[in-house]
Amino acid sequence: MTATGNLGALEVYDTQISQERMGLEGLLLVLRRQARIAVLMIATIMGAAAFYLQSVEELYVTRATIVLTPSETRISRTAAQLETFDVSRSIVETELDVLRSRQFAAALAEQPSLATRFIFVPAPDAPAMSATELRARTIDRLLASYSVFRSGESLAIEIVAETPDPELTAAIANGVAQTYIARSERSQHAEIQQSIAFLETRATGMSAKLSEMELEFADYVRANGLDDADRLDRLLWEEMRLSAIVDALEGEAGQEADLVQNKAALVEIGRRLREHTAATLTLGRMERALKLEQARYQNAAERLNELETQLDFVPRSARHVTVARVPVEPAWPNHAVALALCFVAAAILAFVTALLTESLSRRVWTEADVLRIIGLRNYGTVPRIPRRGIRLRRPPPLEYLSIDPKSFYNEALRGILTLLLKKHATKEAKVLMITSSLPDEGKSEGALSIAGSAARDGLRVLILDLDVHQESALTLACAGAKILSPKNLAEQFDKAKACGGPTEVPSSGSGDRGFAFDISAKLADGLDFISVGARERLNFQVLHDVETNLMPELRRHYDLILFNVPPALVFNDACRFGTLADAVLIVVKWGQSQADELRETHDRLKRSGSNITGTVFSGVDPREQRRYRTGAYLGGAAYAKYRLS
């Protein structure tokens, strides 16, 4: 595929990705890939929650309810009598504030059922505290142990107590209700008694004043002769008599002395009449004041008698309708509910973490990842070989192909070969170079597996091992074999015979120029193996020798030639020999290879002129990945019929 084609594929892919939405299948795949992180997080959170629940102090909860009366009885300060008022919302809120106050808590602490509770008594080894500090601590603990609230617009006040002691919990809830009711009753009685005492004092004062006024009235009556009912008549008659005498004497001569005397007597009688009239008026005022004081005294006495009569019949301001019971089970921690909630929270957190990890991960998992990174398709997947035997050892690829010929492993290799050979059907011999980005990504295993599968299909196949830096391909091809120095050719061929005997292959020319065969072996019918060594490095001269002298002869002898070269990001040999191959396959370790590594490998090979066909996933677990997400060519029936054992 050309660079223009790659860019076009990337543009098409980006357009598709922009329109895609992750569905349920995609979420399930993400969760399966990040299952270890999710499970570890859930297990950690659940373990921490279980440890916390085991170490946390148990708390018992109980409830008591009091109901305020619809009306409230108060003392009217102006009338000094009982009056009834409707209970409003502000009154209820005020009572709630009273229940939450420190003064109320101080009264509650004096309850006999709470005074000696161990929760409010300092520990023996605690620092010494004064009485004030101990009382403040007790009030603080009490206020923290209960709460009060009103339900809606009702007059019911609910009291919720919560402590580590079940009996203390019930005692606090009931104690709050009883203390409030008793405190309200005492307050009302105290207010009424205060009014009674006031009225008694006032009545006593009024009685004393009334007595004083009565004495003053009597003294005034006696002093002014007002107790004589005929005195006024006598004075009037005497005035009339003297007036007649004066009138008679005024006309007679020689009666001047009698006239003067009678006139003087008449003047005295007038004065006495005036004094009597003034005393009568004053006495009327005194009588009216006395009657007013008597009325006031009578009113006070009647009110006093009324309050004293109603003192024992004042209605309660609240009723204790729900008595708190001693709880038998702790309300916290509720292990079942707490663990269930922790599990839900842990699952949500694990899910979010899995999505975040997936979004930040640069690993290659799917064909879509390959297309997005390098613009090429993935030719197929090579599942990992299952472990077998008592020691759970993974058999070599060629051995496993013979053990289970209908396995998904075999079918996957045949699918890859079918696509590759169809694409390069016009070539004399199909030369395929297999490389990877870094070591341990399944490159050598993939080369041997593809070669073995092709040989089982009747092709003449040659594996040309150009990876002179490690012996992975040789070890997989012939267990126990080692790549040796070119100086010990006899020993090398003995090793090759142990793998099946040497095969005649064309010579590459003079070995003095740096090129020689280390091992030539026949691994199976139709499958030959050549391990190439170098006295120094695989330089351009060696490349020229292989291209000019070796490859034409090899193309005539074989139907398929596979180059196994070192990782492209470690050594430059893949870039040098990539031009000799008809196609280059990059082996990608499923879920391990990084996107940046794959992109760099593709760019290096492309710059060297290699014809990169695509990628192959290695080490895929078919039980964890769906076919249409990583596999090419094989249908779902292969998964169902040829699953790994």
Side-chain angles (χ1 to χ4, degrees):
M1 183 181 291
T2 62
T4 303
N6 290 348
L7 292 176
L10 286 172
E11 291 175 358
V12 172
Y13 178 78
D14 291 338
T15 302
Q16 294 175 350
I17 288 297
S18 63
Q19 300 175 352
E20 287 182 356
R21 296 292 184 271
M22 181 178 292
L24 180 60
E25 293 290 336
L27 288 176
L28 292 177
L29 288 173
V30 170
L31 293 178
R32 295 183 72 176
R33 287 198 291 265
Q34 305 297 335
R36 292 184 179 178
I37 295 178
V39 171
L40 179 61
M41 179 170 293
I42 292 175
T44 302
I45 294 177
M46 294 301 293
F51 177 77
Y52 172 76
L53 292 176
Q54 291 296 329
S55 59
V56 72
E57 187 179 39
E58 293 182 342
L59 295 178
Y60 293 84
V61 176
T62 189
R63 299 171 184 269
T65 304
I66 58 176
V67 176
L68 302 180
T69 55
S71 60
E72 183 181 5
T73 302
R74 308 181 194 171
I75 293 293
S76 174
R77 295 299 184 186
T78 58
Q81 63 184 10
L82 297 176
E83 294 185 357
T84 301
F85 301 87
D86 292 335
V87 176
S88 63
R89 178 180 178 85
S90 60
I91 294 177
V92 177
E93 295 296 332
T94 302
E95 296 304 313
L96 291 177
D97 292 336
V98 169
L99 289 169
R100 301 187 185 106
S101 65
R102 292 186 64 84
Q103 290 76 9
F104 180 83
L108 178 62
E110 297 175 358
Q111 287 281 339
S113 59
L114 301 178
T116 58
R117 288 286 176 176
F118 68 91
I119 191 173
F120 303 117
V121 177
D125 56 348
M129 292 188 295
S130 64
T132 303
E133 293 175 339
L134 181 60
R135 182 176 177 81
R137 176 178 178 271
T138 301
I139 293 175
D140 292 338
R141 297 289 294 273
L142 268 175
L143 288 174
S145 65
Y146 74 90
S147 59
V148 293
F149 57 91
R150 179 188 183 189
S151 178
E153 294 297 323
S154 68
L155 298 179
I157 298 178
E158 191 167 8
I159 305 161
V160 181
E162 180 178 336
T163 69
D165 183 0
E167 295 183 358
L168 178 61
T169 304
I172 290 176
N174 293 325
V176 171
Q178 295 167 2
T179 302
Y180 175 78
I181 295 174
R183 195 166 179 262
S184 299
E185 291 180 353
R186 287 196 302 270
S187 176
Q188 286 188 347
H189 279 77
E191 190 172 1
I192 295 174
Q193 288 173 350
Q194 183 180 1
S195 298
I196 290 174
F198 168 76
L199 288 176
E200 287 177 344
T201 302
R202 186 172 184 181
T204 302
M206 292 173 66
S207 177
K209 184 178 181 181
L210 184 61
S211 299
E212 182 180 352
M213 291 177 66
E214 288 175 347
L215 291 173
E216 184 181 356
F217 183 85
D219 292 341
Y220 189 82
V221 169
R222 287 191 300 270
N224 292 277
L226 297 177
D227 52 348
D228 186 1
D230 298 332
R231 183 183 179 190
L232 179 62
D233 294 336
R234 287 195 305 270
L235 289 174
L236 291 174
W237 181 83
E238 183 68 20
E239 183 183 25
M240 291 174 62
R241 187 182 68 80
L242 290 174
S243 295
I245 293 172
V246 169
D247 291 339
L249 291 176
E250 284 181 349
E252 296 179 3
Q255 298 293 327
E256 287 81 2
D258 292 337
L259 179 62
V260 171
Q261 183 179 0
N262 286 313
K263 283 184 177 181
L266 181 61
V267 171
E268 178 65 20
I269 289 298
R271 183 186 65 79
R272 292 174 64 183
L273 280 173
R274 289 193 299 274
E275 289 179 353
H276 183 80
T277 301
T280 301
L281 293 176
T282 302
L283 183 63
R285 291 195 299 271
M286 293 177 64
E287 186 176 7
R288 288 194 299 273
L290 180 60
K291 289 181 178 180
L292 178 61
E293 191 67 22
Q294 288 175 343
R296 293 175 63 188
Y297 174 76
Q298 184 66 27
N299 188 24
E302 290 176 355
R303 292 176 183 176
L304 177 61
N305 183 54
E306 181 182 354
L307 286 178
E308 289 177 342
T309 303
Q310 296 181 353
L311 181 60
D312 296 329
F313 299 98
V314 176
R316 292 184 175 183
S317 60
R319 293 179 292 114
H320 192 180
V321 296
T322 301
V323 179
R325 296 183 178 180
V326 178
V328 295
E329 294 182 355
W332 174 260
N334 188 330
H335 291 77
V337 175
L339 290 177
L341 293 177
C342 286
F343 178 79
V344 172
I348 295 174
L349 184 59
F351 178 74
V352 173
T353 304
L355 292 181
L356 182 61
T357 304
E358 182 74 13
S359 63
L360 297 178
S361 176
R362 304 298 298 168
R363 296 183 180 184
V364 182
W365 290 96
T366 65
E367 291 180 345
D369 294 337
V370 174
L371 184 60
R372 173 176 54 84
I373 296 168
I374 61 176
L376 297 177
R377 67 167 299 174
N378 181 61
Y379 271 74
T381 64
V382 180
R384 61 170 177 251
I385 298 175
R387 298 181 183 275
R388 290 176 172 270
I390 299 176
R391 295 185 297 174
L392 296 178
R393 182 182 60 87
R394 297 186 190 276
L398 299 180
E399 179 182 341
Y400 183 65
L401 289 175
S402 301
I403 293 175
D404 195 354
K406 290 188 176 182
S407 65
F408 174 57
Y409 187 86
N410 228 327
E411 294 297 328
L413 294 172
R414 294 184 64 190
I416 295 171
L417 276 172
T418 301
L419 294 176
L420 288 173
L421 295 179
K422 182 178 180 181
K423 183 173 182 179
H424 302 282
T426 58
K427 299 289 183 179
E428 294 180 359
K430 294 77 181 174
V431 180
L432 177 65
M433 188 181 79
I434 298 179
T435 187
S436 62
S437 300
L438 297 173
D440 299 326
E441 292 188 344
K443 167 182 63 65
S444 300
E445 180 180 323
L448 286 171
S449 301
I450 293 174
S453 180
R456 291 180 61 83
D457 285 347
L459 300 179
R460 292 176 300 169
V461 184
L462 172 65
I463 301 176
L464 188 57
D465 186 13
L466 299 175
D467 189 355
V468 300
H469 305 281
Q470 288 193 7
E471 55 181 8
S472 56
L474 180 60
T475 303
L476 290 173
C478 178
K482 304 291 183 182
I483 298 180
L484 303 177
S485 171
K487 298 180 180 179
N488 301 322
L489 294 179
E491 184 179 353
Q492 294 169 11
F493 275 94
D494 290 340
K495 289 284 185 181
K497 291 179 182 179
C499 296
T503 304
E504 294 182 2
V505 294
S507 174
S508 62
S510 174
D512 294 337
R513 292 193 296 180
F515 180 73
F517 297 145
D518 276 354
I519 293 180
S520 173
K522 191 174 189 63
L523 302 180
D525 292 338
L527 176 58
D528 294 333
F529 178 87
I530 296 178
S531 177
V532 176
R535 293 172 184 162
E536 295 178 357
R537 290 184 299 175
L538 295 178
N539 50 33
F540 287 103
Q541 184 62 48
V542 175
L543 175 63
H544 178 73
D545 287 345
V546 172
E547 182 179 9
T548 304
N549 301 323
L550 183 61
M551 291 308 299
E553 190 68 23
L554 294 179
R555 284 182 179 272
R556 289 194 296 270
H557 281 78
Y558 295 98
D559 299 318
L560 178 63
I561 302 172
L562 284 87
F563 288 174
N564 180 43
V565 296
L569 298 184
V570 180
F571 299 101
N572 202 37
D573 297 342
C575 297
R576 293 177 176 176
F577 284 93
T579 56
L580 302 182
D582 301 329
V584 176
L585 278 181
I586 302 175
V587 176
V588 177
K589 189 65 172 290
W590 179 68
Q592 178 176 318
S593 298
Q594 301 290 329
D596 296 339
E597 299 168 357
L598 178 59
R599 184 180 294 108
E600 179 65 20
T601 300
H602 172 268
D603 293 343
R604 285 192 182 187
L605 293 173
K606 206 66 181 177
R607 287 195 299 267
S608 67
S610 302
N611 180 24
I612 307 173
T613 301
T615 62
V616 172
F617 277 120
S618 67
V620 177
D621 186 352
R623 292 169 296 187
E624 295 184 5
Q625 189 68 313
R626 300 299 182 94
R627 171 192 56 80
Y628 61 87
R629 298 293 285 180
T630 59
Y633 188 77
L634 286 180
Y639 263 85
K641 186 175 181 181
Y642 303 119
R643 68 177 61 179
L644 290 177
S645 58

